[in-house]
Amino acid sequence: NAATAFGIAQSIVTRLTKLKNVKVTAWVTSQRFQGNISSPEDLRAAASSLGVERLIIGTIRTVGDRVHVDAGLIDSTATQQLWAEQLDANVAEIFALQSKIALGCAAILKGGLTGEEETLVAKPPSERADAYEFYIKGSMKMQLGTQEDDNMALALFDRSVVLDPGLADAFVGRGAVFGNRFFYG
């Protein structure tokens, strides 16, 4: 579903930003290309527009409580696959899937990882999948931009915080809603 795809993509980007000397385009900047890369020309155009040499691409399918992910790291200049993985798991194991994808991409981007980098990239954003799911749904709602959506996003972020008070992203989401209210009335 869309929340699962949104969550996986956002988590991978967040994890990769923890690597020194690796520049990562913000997830929100790259999401406009979601579902629009179907040829080598599209790949090069997206990379050029984002000012990057490598793209993480993939598909996510859910059936019942199962998730199937095909993910890859592509060199956009030569349209070569640098890394690829097919992963199947139970939805409850979504953080493990995110870790595997982030670690695979990170190892290629860095040419290998130190133990500290591996720990940073592999660490899930929350120990509670339900708290993270509320955070992701809140993030999706907030991007829709209406006052009603912001109110719903705030309620979702609040629920996330109750379930996992250590999930800093949910507090950031709450702050973003209040920032929207301040700047846009």
Side-chain angles (χ1 to χ4, degrees):
N1 69 28
T4 303
F6 186 100
I8 289 174
Q10 190 173 35
S11 178
I12 291 167
V13 168
T14 300
R15 291 170 188 223
L16 292 176
T17 61
K18 296 177 181 185
L19 296 172
K20 292 179 183 174
N21 302 319
V22 174
K23 294 179 182 175
V24 181
T25 300
W27 180 86
V28 73
T29 304
S30 61
Q31 78 175 19
R32 71 177 184 252
F33 296 102
Q34 181 180 350
N36 295 324
I37 297 178
S38 58
S39 70
E41 294 78 24
D42 294 340
L43 183 76
R44 283 190 284 276
S48 175
S49 177
L50 293 168
V52 298
E53 295 175 3
R54 294 177 182 89
L55 295 170
I56 299 171
I57 62 169
T59 59
I60 298 167
R61 293 181 295 283
T62 57
V63 177
D65 65 346
R66 301 292 298 169
V67 177
H68 176 82
V69 178
D70 288 306
L73 180 65
I74 306 288
D75 178 322
S76 64
T77 58
T79 60
Q80 294 179 333
Q81 189 93 21
L82 302 173
W83 173 87
E85 189 76 51
Q86 289 184 327
L87 304 163
D88 287 292
N90 189 295
V91 171
E93 300 166 331
I94 198 74
F95 293 145
L97 286 176
Q98 293 169 349
S99 291
K100 287 180 184 179
I101 296 167
L103 285 168
C105 292
I108 297 299
L109 291 169
K110 289 283 293 189
L113 298 175
T114 66
E116 180 183 351
E117 288 173 326
E118 190 170 319
T119 300
L120 282 172
V121 172
K123 185 176 186 250
S126 173
E127 296 300 323
R128 297 212 35 181
D130 55 351
Y132 191 67
E133 184 175 351
F134 281 113
Y135 160 71
I136 292 301
K137 287 179 178 178
S139 295
M140 292 174 69
K141 278 291 183 188
M142 193 175 73
Q143 294 205 11
L144 297 174
T146 69
Q147 185 174 1
E148 182 180 327
D149 290 320
D150 275 359
N151 291 338
M152 178 62 84
L154 185 60
L156 291 163
F157 292 140
D158 286 344
R159 183 72 180 132
S160 180
V161 167
V162 167
L163 292 170
D164 183 357
L167 181 54
D169 290 340
F171 286 99
V172 171
R174 291 183 84 246
V177 170
F178 289 118
N180 285 347
R181 287 180 177 176
F182 177 78
F183 288 110
Y184 302 111

